[in-house]
Amino acid sequence: MSLLSARGLSKTYGATPALVGAEFSIDAGEVVAVMGPSGSGKSTLLHVVAGIVPPDAGTVMYDGRELSAMSDVERSALRRSEFGFVFQFGQLVPELSCRENVALPLRLDGVSRRSAEARADELLASLEVSGVAGQRPGTVSGGEGQRVAVARALATDPRVLFADEPTGALDSLNGERVMDLLTGAARERGTAVVLVTHEARVAAYSDREIVVRDGRTLGVERVSS
Ligand code: ADP
Ligand code: ADP
């Protein structure tokens, strides 16, 4: 059975159908690219399978449990302990240093400042952004900020990492670094990585692609490689 899967997902915003009977699945250690044009429903699919947005119809199963059967408190605890998120904008806390940002999810889990910041420094080093550890996010470049956000998402060693256009604001070298880190987490730690992208170059890093068109998941295709 898949680690995370969804069947028959529908979601309508006002008169706009964002998802129409969409399907989804991902296994531990797998990198799945969710592809499709702007407005096709990719972000909505990610938000629904991550338990952030409730579907109008359909079911989402995580590790044998149905998300809709959980209370809000259980779902947010699950998101905090098992899921990691990398979104394109507004993800780092501007008042904290980059190190403190990466350490934050661990601090919220009750990890001591000393251990959390040691882990943060390790992650920042693996992304080659040790140099910005003491700086606030507002003072670093877009590429550095994005790598700090990836480090923060990996800090709690999530079982599923959701990344929405993680390389959207990056030049290709930074994009490659971010993608290498995400796929490395899948290989080395068995993290399931859900990658929302409209770029074939980014999707090429995935094991499998799910194509979204007008809210429908059209093809679930194995990438031949
Ligand atoms: P994508 O990520 O592929 O660009 P989205 O999932 O963001 O697509 O959007 C799918 C459709 O649903 C679009 O028409 C979008 O405008 C609409 N939509 C998404 N989120 C909302 C929302 N919170 N309120 C109203 N409409 C929304
Ligand atoms: P992305 O596709 O890069 O994730 P979007 O601009 O589609 O970002 O959406 C950003 C946020 O706004 C999401 O939370 C989405 O649900 C919401 N959203 C998208 N389209 C609409 C819309 N037409 N009306 C209201 N909220 C929307």
Side-chain angles (χ1 to χ4, degrees):
M1 200 178 66
S2 302
L3 179 61
L4 177 64
S5 65
R7 294 180 59 186
L9 293 182
S10 293
K11 180 73 187 178
T12 299
Y13 289 109
T16 309
L19 291 179
V20 185
E23 312 278 317
F24 178 86
S25 73
I26 190 165
D27 294 326
E30 196 178 22
V31 181
V32 169
V34 176
M35 298 212 51
S38 183
S40 58
K42 302 183 299 296
S43 297
T44 304
L45 179 62
L46 183 151
H47 293 149
V48 170
V49 300
I52 297 168
V53 167
D56 298 333
T59 52
V60 181
M61 298 288 296
Y62 173 73
D63 205 11
R65 286 178 293 168
E66 190 178 335
L67 290 193
S68 65
M70 296 180 188
S71 68
D72 289 350
V73 172
E74 284 174 317
R75 254 195 314 275
S76 51
L78 174 80
R79 278 200 304 273
R80 212 178 63 209
S81 61
E82 316 251 317
F83 295 170
F85 296 92
V86 183
F87 291 151
Q88 201 175 338
F89 301 111
Q91 37 199 2
L92 299 171
V93 182
E95 293 80 11
L96 299 179
S97 71
C98 289
R99 176 187 292 115
E100 288 165 338
N101 265 281
V102 177
L104 185 60
L106 293 168
R107 298 284 291 138
L108 293 174
D109 271 351
V111 176
S112 73
R113 172 186 287 270
R114 190 191 171 97
S115 312
E117 295 197 348
R119 173 81 181 123
D121 282 343
E122 226 176 82
L123 281 160
L124 291 169
S126 74
L127 280 155
E128 297 172 43
V129 278
S130 296
V132 303
Q135 292 174 232
R136 289 183 179 196
T139 69
V140 308
S141 75
E144 288 164 343
Q146 192 66 340
R147 280 183 274 160
V148 173
V150 170
R152 188 176 66 173
L154 289 170
T156 52
D157 202 7
R159 291 182 71 196
V160 186
L161 195 141
F162 297 91
D164 196 347
E165 303 283 1
T167 65
L170 303 189
D171 62 41
S172 61
L173 180 61
N174 278 317
E176 280 168 31
R177 283 196 183 118
V178 167
M179 290 313 306
D180 286 342
L181 198 88
L182 294 179
T183 52
R187 270 195 309 275
E188 290 152 30
R189 302 158 183 264
T191 312
V193 179
V194 185
L195 191 62
V196 170
T197 184
H198 63 275
E199 285 186 82
R201 183 170 66 81
V202 173
Y205 284 85
S206 72
D207 301 312
R208 189 156 59 86
E209 295 180 14
I210 295 178
V211 179
V212 188
R213 283 279 145 78
D214 298 328
R216 294 178 166 81
T217 39
L218 277 191
V220 180
E221 304 157 5
R222 273 269 156 211
V223 179
S224 50
S225 71

PDB file of all heavy atoms in Angstrom, residues 104-142:
ATOM      1  N   LEU A 104      13.654  26.303  13.956  1.00  0.00           N
ATOM      2  CA  LEU A 104      12.320  26.553  14.515  1.00  0.00           C
ATOM      3  C   LEU A 104      11.415  25.321  14.626  1.00  0.00           C
ATOM      4  O   LEU A 104      10.854  25.062  15.700  1.00  0.00           O
ATOM      5  CB  LEU A 104      11.632  27.669  13.721  1.00  0.00           C
ATOM      6  CG  LEU A 104      10.268  28.139  14.235  1.00  0.00           C
ATOM      7  CD1 LEU A 104      10.369  28.692  15.653  1.00  0.00           C
ATOM      8  CD2 LEU A 104       9.691  29.211  13.298  1.00  0.00           C
ATOM      9  N   PRO A 105      11.252  24.520  13.549  1.00  0.00           N
ATOM     10  CA  PRO A 105      10.360  23.354  13.693  1.00  0.00           C
ATOM     11  C   PRO A 105      10.845  22.372  14.758  1.00  0.00           C
ATOM     12  O   PRO A 105      10.037  21.715  15.413  1.00  0.00           O
ATOM     13  CB  PRO A 105      10.355  22.708  12.299  1.00  0.00           C
ATOM     14  CG  PRO A 105      11.365  23.407  11.487  1.00  0.00           C
ATOM     15  CD  PRO A 105      11.748  24.667  12.178  1.00  0.00           C
ATOM     16  N   LEU A 106      12.156  22.288  14.953  1.00  0.00           N
ATOM     17  CA  LEU A 106      12.689  21.402  15.992  1.00  0.00           C
ATOM     18  C   LEU A 106      12.404  21.981  17.373  1.00  0.00           C
ATOM     19  O   LEU A 106      12.041  21.259  18.304  1.00  0.00           O
ATOM     20  CB  LEU A 106      14.200  21.213  15.792  1.00  0.00           C
ATOM     21  CG  LEU A 106      14.589  20.449  14.530  1.00  0.00           C
ATOM     22  CD1 LEU A 106      16.084  20.566  14.258  1.00  0.00           C
ATOM     23  CD2 LEU A 106      14.186  18.983  14.650  1.00  0.00           C
ATOM     24  N   ARG A 107      12.563  23.311  17.501  1.00  0.00           N
ATOM     25  CA  ARG A 107      12.259  23.975  18.774  1.00  0.00           C
ATOM     26  C   ARG A 107      10.793  23.764  19.138  1.00  0.00           C
ATOM     27  O   ARG A 107      10.470  23.515  20.299  1.00  0.00           O
ATOM     28  CB  ARG A 107      12.573  25.484  18.671  1.00  0.00           C
ATOM     29  CG  ARG A 107      14.037  25.785  18.395  1.00  0.00           C
ATOM     30  CD  ARG A 107      14.930  25.620  19.599  1.00  0.00           C
ATOM     31  NE  ARG A 107      14.670  26.649  20.607  1.00  0.00           N
ATOM     32  CZ  ARG A 107      14.603  26.420  21.909  1.00  0.00           C
ATOM     33  NH1 ARG A 107      14.732  25.191  22.378  1.00  0.00           N
ATOM     34  NH2 ARG A 107      14.382  27.403  22.757  1.00  0.00           N
ATOM     35  N   LEU A 108       9.895  23.835  18.123  1.00  0.00           N
ATOM     36  CA  LEU A 108       8.467  23.622  18.365  1.00  0.00           C
ATOM     37  C   LEU A 108       8.180  22.191  18.797  1.00  0.00           C
ATOM     38  O   LEU A 108       7.184  21.916  19.458  1.00  0.00           O
ATOM     39  CB  LEU A 108       7.644  23.954  17.106  1.00  0.00           C
ATOM     40  CG  LEU A 108       7.627  25.429  16.698  1.00  0.00           C
ATOM     41  CD1 LEU A 108       6.919  25.618  15.364  1.00  0.00           C
ATOM     42  CD2 LEU A 108       6.963  26.285  17.781  1.00  0.00           C
ATOM     43  N   ASP A 109       9.066  21.267  18.413  1.00  0.00           N
ATOM     44  CA  ASP A 109       8.940  19.865  18.834  1.00  0.00           C
ATOM     45  C   ASP A 109       9.590  19.625  20.192  1.00  0.00           C
ATOM     46  O   ASP A 109       9.656  18.492  20.654  1.00  0.00           O
ATOM     47  CB  ASP A 109       9.609  18.937  17.808  1.00  0.00           C
ATOM     48  CG  ASP A 109       8.639  18.521  16.709  1.00  0.00           C
ATOM     49  OD1 ASP A 109       7.442  18.818  16.840  1.00  0.00           O
ATOM     50  OD2 ASP A 109       9.089  17.896  15.735  1.00  0.00           O
ATOM     51  N   GLY A 110      10.123  20.665  20.817  1.00  0.00           N
ATOM     52  CA  GLY A 110      10.699  20.527  22.146  1.00  0.00           C
ATOM     53  C   GLY A 110      12.182  20.209  22.175  1.00  0.00           C
ATOM     54  O   GLY A 110      12.734  19.912  23.234  1.00  0.00           O
ATOM     55  N   VAL A 111      12.847  20.282  21.017  1.00  0.00           N
ATOM     56  CA  VAL A 111      14.290  20.036  20.976  1.00  0.00           C
ATOM     57  C   VAL A 111      15.001  21.260  21.565  1.00  0.00           C
ATOM     58  O   VAL A 111      14.574  22.400  21.359  1.00  0.00           O
ATOM     59  CB  VAL A 111      14.755  19.783  19.517  1.00  0.00           C
ATOM     60  CG1 VAL A 111      16.263  19.634  19.432  1.00  0.00           C
ATOM     61  CG2 VAL A 111      14.048  18.571  18.934  1.00  0.00           C
ATOM     62  N   SER A 112      16.085  21.023  22.304  1.00  0.00           N
ATOM     63  CA  SER A 112      16.805  22.131  22.931  1.00  0.00           C
ATOM     64  C   SER A 112      17.393  23.060  21.871  1.00  0.00           C
ATOM     65  O   SER A 112      17.657  22.640  20.745  1.00  0.00           O
ATOM     66  CB  SER A 112      17.949  21.596  23.800  1.00  0.00           C
ATOM     67  OG  SER A 112      18.997  21.113  22.975  1.00  0.00           O
ATOM     68  N   ARG A 113      17.602  24.316  22.252  1.00  0.00           N
ATOM     69  CA  ARG A 113      18.155  25.288  21.308  1.00  0.00           C
ATOM     70  C   ARG A 113      19.491  24.811  20.752  1.00  0.00           C
ATOM     71  O   ARG A 113      19.743  24.884  19.553  1.00  0.00           O
ATOM     72  CB  ARG A 113      18.339  26.644  22.011  1.00  0.00           C
ATOM     73  CG  ARG A 113      19.088  27.671  21.157  1.00  0.00           C
ATOM     74  CD  ARG A 113      19.363  28.941  21.939  1.00  0.00           C
ATOM     75  NE  ARG A 113      18.145  29.713  22.132  1.00  0.00           N
ATOM     76  CZ  ARG A 113      17.720  30.652  21.262  1.00  0.00           C
ATOM     77  NH1 ARG A 113      18.424  30.913  20.167  1.00  0.00           N
ATOM     78  NH2 ARG A 113      16.625  31.327  21.488  1.00  0.00           N
ATOM     79  N   ARG A 114      20.313  24.293  21.652  1.00  0.00           N
ATOM     80  CA  ARG A 114      21.651  23.866  21.270  1.00  0.00           C
ATOM     81  C   ARG A 114      21.613  22.769  20.204  1.00  0.00           C
ATOM     82  O   ARG A 114      22.274  22.862  19.171  1.00  0.00           O
ATOM     83  CB  ARG A 114      22.355  23.362  22.533  1.00  0.00           C
ATOM     84  CG  ARG A 114      23.809  23.085  22.394  1.00  0.00           C
ATOM     85  CD  ARG A 114      24.271  22.340  23.661  1.00  0.00           C
ATOM     86  NE  ARG A 114      25.643  21.859  23.491  1.00  0.00           N
ATOM     87  CZ  ARG A 114      26.693  22.519  23.943  1.00  0.00           C
ATOM     88  NH1 ARG A 114      26.542  23.647  24.589  1.00  0.00           N
ATOM     89  NH2 ARG A 114      27.906  22.033  23.742  1.00  0.00           N
ATOM     90  N   SER A 115      20.806  21.721  20.419  1.00  0.00           N
ATOM     91  CA  SER A 115      20.717  20.624  19.450  1.00  0.00           C
ATOM     92  C   SER A 115      20.043  21.080  18.167  1.00  0.00           C
ATOM     93  O   SER A 115      20.458  20.696  17.069  1.00  0.00           O
ATOM     94  CB  SER A 115      19.898  19.452  19.994  1.00  0.00           C
ATOM     95  OG  SER A 115      20.296  19.125  21.263  1.00  0.00           O
ATOM     96  N   ALA A 116      19.001  21.899  18.312  1.00  0.00           N
ATOM     97  CA  ALA A 116      18.265  22.353  17.121  1.00  0.00           C
ATOM     98  C   ALA A 116      19.178  23.189  16.231  1.00  0.00           C
ATOM     99  O   ALA A 116      19.188  23.032  15.011  1.00  0.00           O
ATOM    100  CB  ALA A 116      17.032  23.150  17.539  1.00  0.00           C
ATOM    101  N   GLU A 117      19.969  24.060  16.848  1.00  0.00           N
ATOM    102  CA  GLU A 117      20.829  24.925  16.042  1.00  0.00           C
ATOM    103  C   GLU A 117      22.016  24.152  15.467  1.00  0.00           C
ATOM    104  O   GLU A 117      22.486  24.459  14.372  1.00  0.00           O
ATOM    105  CB  GLU A 117      21.246  26.165  16.837  1.00  0.00           C
ATOM    106  CG  GLU A 117      20.001  27.007  17.145  1.00  0.00           C
ATOM    107  CD  GLU A 117      20.282  28.443  17.575  1.00  0.00           C
ATOM    108  OE1 GLU A 117      21.445  28.769  17.869  1.00  0.00           O
ATOM    109  OE2 GLU A 117      19.309  29.230  17.601  1.00  0.00           O
ATOM    110  N   ALA A 118      22.468  23.123  16.177  1.00  0.00           N
ATOM    111  CA  ALA A 118      23.540  22.281  15.635  1.00  0.00           C
ATOM    112  C   ALA A 118      23.026  21.555  14.384  1.00  0.00           C
ATOM    113  O   ALA A 118      23.711  21.490  13.353  1.00  0.00           O
ATOM    114  CB  ALA A 118      24.004  21.270  16.678  1.00  0.00           C
ATOM    115  N   ARG A 119      21.809  21.039  14.467  1.00  0.00           N
ATOM    116  CA  ARG A 119      21.200  20.365  13.315  1.00  0.00           C
ATOM    117  C   ARG A 119      20.983  21.373  12.172  1.00  0.00           C
ATOM    118  O   ARG A 119      21.222  21.050  10.999  1.00  0.00           O
ATOM    119  CB  ARG A 119      19.867  19.747  13.752  1.00  0.00           C
ATOM    120  CG  ARG A 119      19.029  19.166  12.650  1.00  0.00           C
ATOM    121  CD  ARG A 119      19.501  17.770  12.258  1.00  0.00           C
ATOM    122  NE  ARG A 119      18.704  17.227  11.170  1.00  0.00           N
ATOM    123  CZ  ARG A 119      19.211  16.816  10.013  1.00  0.00           C
ATOM    124  NH1 ARG A 119      20.515  16.863   9.789  1.00  0.00           N
ATOM    125  NH2 ARG A 119      18.434  16.322   9.087  1.00  0.00           N
ATOM    126  N   ALA A 120      20.569  22.579  12.513  1.00  0.00           N
ATOM    127  CA  ALA A 120      20.352  23.615  11.502  1.00  0.00           C
ATOM    128  C   ALA A 120      21.664  23.923  10.777  1.00  0.00           C
ATOM    129  O   ALA A 120      21.702  24.007   9.537  1.00  0.00           O
ATOM    130  CB  ALA A 120      19.791  24.879  12.148  1.00  0.00           C
ATOM    131  N   ASP A 121      22.748  24.041  11.535  1.00  0.00           N
ATOM    132  CA  ASP A 121      24.038  24.345  10.918  1.00  0.00           C
ATOM    133  C   ASP A 121      24.492  23.228   9.982  1.00  0.00           C
ATOM    134  O   ASP A 121      25.067  23.485   8.919  1.00  0.00           O
ATOM    135  CB  ASP A 121      25.096  24.599  12.004  1.00  0.00           C
ATOM    136  CG  ASP A 121      24.945  26.005  12.591  1.00  0.00           C
ATOM    137  OD1 ASP A 121      24.283  26.844  11.954  1.00  0.00           O
ATOM    138  OD2 ASP A 121      25.479  26.249  13.693  1.00  0.00           O
ATOM    139  N   GLU A 122      24.214  21.978  10.380  1.00  0.00           N
ATOM    140  CA  GLU A 122      24.560  20.829   9.548  1.00  0.00           C
ATOM    141  C   GLU A 122      23.808  20.894   8.207  1.00  0.00           C
ATOM    142  O   GLU A 122      24.400  20.694   7.142  1.00  0.00           O
ATOM    143  CB  GLU A 122      24.049  19.596  10.299  1.00  0.00           C
ATOM    144  CG  GLU A 122      24.951  18.415  10.431  1.00  0.00           C
ATOM    145  CD  GLU A 122      24.224  17.402  11.309  1.00  0.00           C
ATOM    146  OE1 GLU A 122      23.365  16.644  10.803  1.00  0.00           O
ATOM    147  OE2 GLU A 122      24.504  17.409  12.537  1.00  0.00           O
ATOM    148  N   LEU A 123      22.511  21.176   8.296  1.00  0.00           N
ATOM    149  CA  LEU A 123      21.691  21.239   7.080  1.00  0.00           C
ATOM    150  C   LEU A 123      22.110  22.406   6.190  1.00  0.00           C
ATOM    151  O   LEU A 123      22.209  22.270   4.972  1.00  0.00           O
ATOM    152  CB  LEU A 123      20.211  21.375   7.449  1.00  0.00           C
ATOM    153  CG  LEU A 123      19.532  20.078   7.878  1.00  0.00           C
ATOM    154  CD1 LEU A 123      18.273  20.364   8.680  1.00  0.00           C
ATOM    155  CD2 LEU A 123      19.213  19.216   6.655  1.00  0.00           C
ATOM    156  N   LEU A 124      22.389  23.562   6.812  1.00  0.00           N
ATOM    157  CA  LEU A 124      22.811  24.727   6.027  1.00  0.00           C
ATOM    158  C   LEU A 124      24.135  24.430   5.337  1.00  0.00           C
ATOM    159  O   LEU A 124      24.340  24.808   4.180  1.00  0.00           O
ATOM    160  CB  LEU A 124      22.911  25.966   6.924  1.00  0.00           C
ATOM    161  CG  LEU A 124      21.559  26.492   7.433  1.00  0.00           C
ATOM    162  CD1 LEU A 124      21.753  27.548   8.520  1.00  0.00           C
ATOM    163  CD2 LEU A 124      20.727  27.055   6.282  1.00  0.00           C
ATOM    164  N   ALA A 125      25.018  23.694   6.019  1.00  0.00           N
ATOM    165  CA  ALA A 125      26.300  23.333   5.410  1.00  0.00           C
ATOM    166  C   ALA A 125      26.077  22.400   4.226  1.00  0.00           C
ATOM    167  O   ALA A 125      26.713  22.558   3.173  1.00  0.00           O
ATOM    168  CB  ALA A 125      27.208  22.683   6.453  1.00  0.00           C
ATOM    169  N   SER A 126      25.162  21.437   4.365  1.00  0.00           N
ATOM    170  CA  SER A 126      24.939  20.485   3.271  1.00  0.00           C
ATOM    171  C   SER A 126      24.352  21.191   2.049  1.00  0.00           C
ATOM    172  O   SER A 126      24.471  20.701   0.935  1.00  0.00           O
ATOM    173  CB  SER A 126      24.049  19.330   3.725  1.00  0.00           C
ATOM    174  OG  SER A 126      22.714  19.753   3.846  1.00  0.00           O
ATOM    175  N   LEU A 127      23.744  22.342   2.249  1.00  0.00           N
ATOM    176  CA  LEU A 127      23.197  23.116   1.127  1.00  0.00           C
ATOM    177  C   LEU A 127      24.130  24.248   0.705  1.00  0.00           C
ATOM    178  O   LEU A 127      23.772  25.085  -0.113  1.00  0.00           O
ATOM    179  CB  LEU A 127      21.829  23.679   1.519  1.00  0.00           C
ATOM    180  CG  LEU A 127      20.727  22.638   1.404  1.00  0.00           C
ATOM    181  CD1 LEU A 127      19.566  22.947   2.314  1.00  0.00           C
ATOM    182  CD2 LEU A 127      20.261  22.548  -0.031  1.00  0.00           C
ATOM    183  N   GLU A 128      25.307  24.260   1.302  1.00  0.00           N
ATOM    184  CA  GLU A 128      26.332  25.255   0.977  1.00  0.00           C
ATOM    185  C   GLU A 128      25.858  26.687   1.205  1.00  0.00           C
ATOM    186  O   GLU A 128      26.132  27.592   0.412  1.00  0.00           O
ATOM    187  CB  GLU A 128      26.809  25.065  -0.477  1.00  0.00           C
ATOM    188  CG  GLU A 128      27.475  23.706  -0.672  1.00  0.00           C
ATOM    189  CD  GLU A 128      27.770  23.415  -2.145  1.00  0.00           C
ATOM    190  OE1 GLU A 128      28.240  24.342  -2.826  1.00  0.00           O
ATOM    191  OE2 GLU A 128      27.523  22.285  -2.576  1.00  0.00           O
ATOM    192  N   VAL A 129      25.109  26.879   2.314  1.00  0.00           N
ATOM    193  CA  VAL A 129      24.711  28.237   2.689  1.00  0.00           C
ATOM    194  C   VAL A 129      25.047  28.531   4.156  1.00  0.00           C
ATOM    195  O   VAL A 129      24.344  29.289   4.826  1.00  0.00           O
ATOM    196  CB  VAL A 129      23.205  28.518   2.415  1.00  0.00           C
ATOM    197  CG1 VAL A 129      22.979  28.874   0.955  1.00  0.00           C
ATOM    198  CG2 VAL A 129      22.313  27.362   2.842  1.00  0.00           C
ATOM    199  N   SER A 130      26.139  27.925   4.641  1.00  0.00           N
ATOM    200  CA  SER A 130      26.578  28.205   6.009  1.00  0.00           C
ATOM    201  C   SER A 130      26.805  29.697   6.230  1.00  0.00           C
ATOM    202  O   SER A 130      26.585  30.215   7.328  1.00  0.00           O
ATOM    203  CB  SER A 130      27.890  27.479   6.309  1.00  0.00           C
ATOM    204  OG  SER A 130      27.692  26.091   6.254  1.00  0.00           O
ATOM    205  N   GLY A 131      27.250  30.361   5.189  1.00  0.00           N
ATOM    206  CA  GLY A 131      27.600  31.771   5.281  1.00  0.00           C
ATOM    207  C   GLY A 131      26.452  32.683   5.677  1.00  0.00           C
ATOM    208  O   GLY A 131      26.674  33.775   6.194  1.00  0.00           O
ATOM    209  N   VAL A 132      25.199  32.254   5.459  1.00  0.00           N
ATOM    210  CA  VAL A 132      24.067  33.132   5.781  1.00  0.00           C
ATOM    211  C   VAL A 132      23.386  32.745   7.092  1.00  0.00           C
ATOM    212  O   VAL A 132      22.358  33.328   7.449  1.00  0.00           O
ATOM    213  CB  VAL A 132      23.006  33.151   4.633  1.00  0.00           C
ATOM    214  CG1 VAL A 132      23.653  33.582   3.315  1.00  0.00           C
ATOM    215  CG2 VAL A 132      22.295  31.810   4.492  1.00  0.00           C
ATOM    216  N   ALA A 133      23.980  31.781   7.834  1.00  0.00           N
ATOM    217  CA  ALA A 133      23.329  31.252   9.044  1.00  0.00           C
ATOM    218  C   ALA A 133      22.895  32.353  10.016  1.00  0.00           C
ATOM    219  O   ALA A 133      21.806  32.305  10.574  1.00  0.00           O
ATOM    220  CB  ALA A 133      24.249  30.250   9.747  1.00  0.00           C
ATOM    221  N   GLY A 134      23.765  33.365  10.196  1.00  0.00           N
ATOM    222  CA  GLY A 134      23.467  34.400  11.178  1.00  0.00           C
ATOM    223  C   GLY A 134      22.655  35.567  10.633  1.00  0.00           C
ATOM    224  O   GLY A 134      22.281  36.470  11.377  1.00  0.00           O
ATOM    225  N   GLN A 135      22.378  35.558   9.323  1.00  0.00           N
ATOM    226  CA  GLN A 135      21.667  36.678   8.705  1.00  0.00           C
ATOM    227  C   GLN A 135      20.162  36.463   8.699  1.00  0.00           C
ATOM    228  O   GLN A 135      19.689  35.334   8.713  1.00  0.00           O
ATOM    229  CB  GLN A 135      22.128  36.841   7.248  1.00  0.00           C
ATOM    230  CG  GLN A 135      23.553  37.296   7.099  1.00  0.00           C
ATOM    231  CD  GLN A 135      23.993  37.300   5.641  1.00  0.00           C
ATOM    232  OE1 GLN A 135      25.015  36.732   5.294  1.00  0.00           O
ATOM    233  NE2 GLN A 135      23.191  37.933   4.777  1.00  0.00           N
ATOM    234  N   ARG A 136      19.446  37.589   8.636  1.00  0.00           N
ATOM    235  CA  ARG A 136      18.001  37.483   8.485  1.00  0.00           C
ATOM    236  C   ARG A 136      17.650  37.215   7.022  1.00  0.00           C
ATOM    237  O   ARG A 136      18.391  37.648   6.128  1.00  0.00           O
ATOM    238  CB  ARG A 136      17.331  38.775   8.945  1.00  0.00           C
ATOM    239  CG  ARG A 136      17.405  38.939  10.444  1.00  0.00           C
ATOM    240  CD  ARG A 136      16.668  40.176  10.883  1.00  0.00           C
ATOM    241  NE  ARG A 136      16.728  40.292  12.341  1.00  0.00           N
ATOM    242  CZ  ARG A 136      15.941  41.079  13.043  1.00  0.00           C
ATOM    243  NH1 ARG A 136      15.043  41.841  12.437  1.00  0.00           N
ATOM    244  NH2 ARG A 136      16.040  41.121  14.355  1.00  0.00           N
ATOM    245  N   PRO A 137      16.518  36.516   6.769  1.00  0.00           N
ATOM    246  CA  PRO A 137      16.142  36.149   5.399  1.00  0.00           C
ATOM    247  C   PRO A 137      16.077  37.342   4.441  1.00  0.00           C
ATOM    248  O   PRO A 137      16.412  37.215   3.265  1.00  0.00           O
ATOM    249  CB  PRO A 137      14.755  35.526   5.563  1.00  0.00           C
ATOM    250  CG  PRO A 137      14.724  35.017   6.959  1.00  0.00           C
ATOM    251  CD  PRO A 137      15.583  35.945   7.763  1.00  0.00           C
ATOM    252  N   GLY A 138      15.690  38.527   4.958  1.00  0.00           N
ATOM    253  CA  GLY A 138      15.559  39.699   4.107  1.00  0.00           C
ATOM    254  C   GLY A 138      16.877  40.163   3.506  1.00  0.00           C
ATOM    255  O   GLY A 138      16.884  40.936   2.548  1.00  0.00           O
ATOM    256  N   THR A 139      17.993  39.697   4.063  1.00  0.00           N
ATOM    257  CA  THR A 139      19.300  40.178   3.609  1.00  0.00           C
ATOM    258  C   THR A 139      20.014  39.176   2.707  1.00  0.00           C
ATOM    259  O   THR A 139      21.149  39.415   2.314  1.00  0.00           O
ATOM    260  CB  THR A 139      20.218  40.488   4.801  1.00  0.00           C
ATOM    261  OG1 THR A 139      20.559  39.247   5.443  1.00  0.00           O
ATOM    262  CG2 THR A 139      19.534  41.406   5.813  1.00  0.00           C
ATOM    263  N   VAL A 140      19.371  38.022   2.402  1.00  0.00           N
ATOM    264  CA  VAL A 140      20.039  37.010   1.579  1.00  0.00           C
ATOM    265  C   VAL A 140      19.395  36.974   0.197  1.00  0.00           C
ATOM    266  O   VAL A 140      18.299  37.495  -0.004  1.00  0.00           O
ATOM    267  CB  VAL A 140      20.021  35.608   2.247  1.00  0.00           C
ATOM    268  CG1 VAL A 140      20.544  35.697   3.664  1.00  0.00           C
ATOM    269  CG2 VAL A 140      18.630  34.985   2.213  1.00  0.00           C
ATOM    270  N   SER A 141      20.078  36.340  -0.756  1.00  0.00           N
ATOM    271  CA  SER A 141      19.554  36.293  -2.124  1.00  0.00           C
ATOM    272  C   SER A 141      18.388  35.302  -2.216  1.00  0.00           C
ATOM    273  O   SER A 141      18.178  34.486  -1.314  1.00  0.00           O
ATOM    274  CB  SER A 141      20.663  35.856  -3.083  1.00  0.00           C
ATOM    275  OG  SER A 141      20.898  34.468  -2.946  1.00  0.00           O
ATOM    276  N   GLY A 142      17.659  35.365  -3.312  1.00  0.00           N
ATOM    277  CA  GLY A 142      16.530  34.455  -3.517  1.00  0.00           C
ATOM    278  C   GLY A 142      16.963  32.997  -3.477  1.00  0.00           C
ATOM    279  O   GLY A 142      16.305  32.156  -2.854  1.00  0.00           O
TER     280      GLY A 142
END
